[in-house]
Amino acid sequence: MQRRYFALAIIVVILLSAAAMTNPNKQQYVGWAKLEIIQESGGGLMGIIASVAAPTLVDALTKANDYFLFSTYTTTLLDEEIVILGAFNKFIPISKGKVEQQAKK
C-alpha cells in the first residue's frame, strides 16, 4: 500500500514540475501579444508601427502575477483591461472589458 502512495507521489511531483517548467514568463507574453497586435492591425503601415511600438507598450502596461503552475497577465490599454492566462507555454484570453473610471471628488 505504501509503495502505491509513494509511486503516486512521485508521479504528482513530476507532473507539477513539468507544469511549472512550462509556465510562460512576461517576456514570452510580450512576444505573443506583439504577434496578436500585428495580426489584428492588418499589416501594412499599421503592422510596421505595431511591430515597433507593441513590445514597449505591452511591457509597460502589463502586470504579471506568477502562481508557480500558471501566470496571469493584465494589460490595461486606454480604457480596456485584458486578462490573459499563461500555462503550458500557451496564452488563453480570460476577459476583456472597459476599465471602470474612479469617481471624481
Side-chain angles (χ1 to χ4, degrees):
M1 187 75 115
Q2 286 182 339
R3 285 181 124 174
R4 181 178 287 166
Y5 288 127
F6 182 71
L8 182 61
I10 288 177
I11 291 171
V12 168
V13 167
I14 291 171
L15 291 175
L16 289 175
S17 297
M21 290 184 342
T22 61
N23 181 6
N25 61 34
K26 187 175 180 184
Q27 289 308 96
Q28 290 171 306
Y29 169 73
V30 169
W32 175 82
K34 172 187 168 185
L35 294 176
E36 291 292 310
I37 291 168
I38 291 170
Q39 186 176 11
E40 286 188 24
S41 72
L45 181 59
M46 289 304 292
I48 293 169
I49 293 169
S51 69
V52 172
T56 304
L57 283 173
V58 170
D59 190 40
L61 301 174
T62 298
K63 181 181 176 195
N65 293 306
D66 185 358
Y67 298 103
F68 185 67
L69 298 178
F70 65 93
S71 295
T72 59
Y73 303 93
T74 304
T75 304
T76 305
L77 183 60
L78 299 175
D79 64 342
E80 281 195 325
E81 182 177 82
I82 303 163
V83 180
I84 306 292
L85 173 71
F88 300 106
N89 284 330
K90 302 283 184 206
F91 296 99
I92 304 161
I94 300 296
S95 69
K96 181 178 181 179
K98 299 283 183 191
V99 176
E100 293 181 23
Q101 298 292 330
Q102 291 182 351
K104 293 184 179 182
K105 294 182 179 182

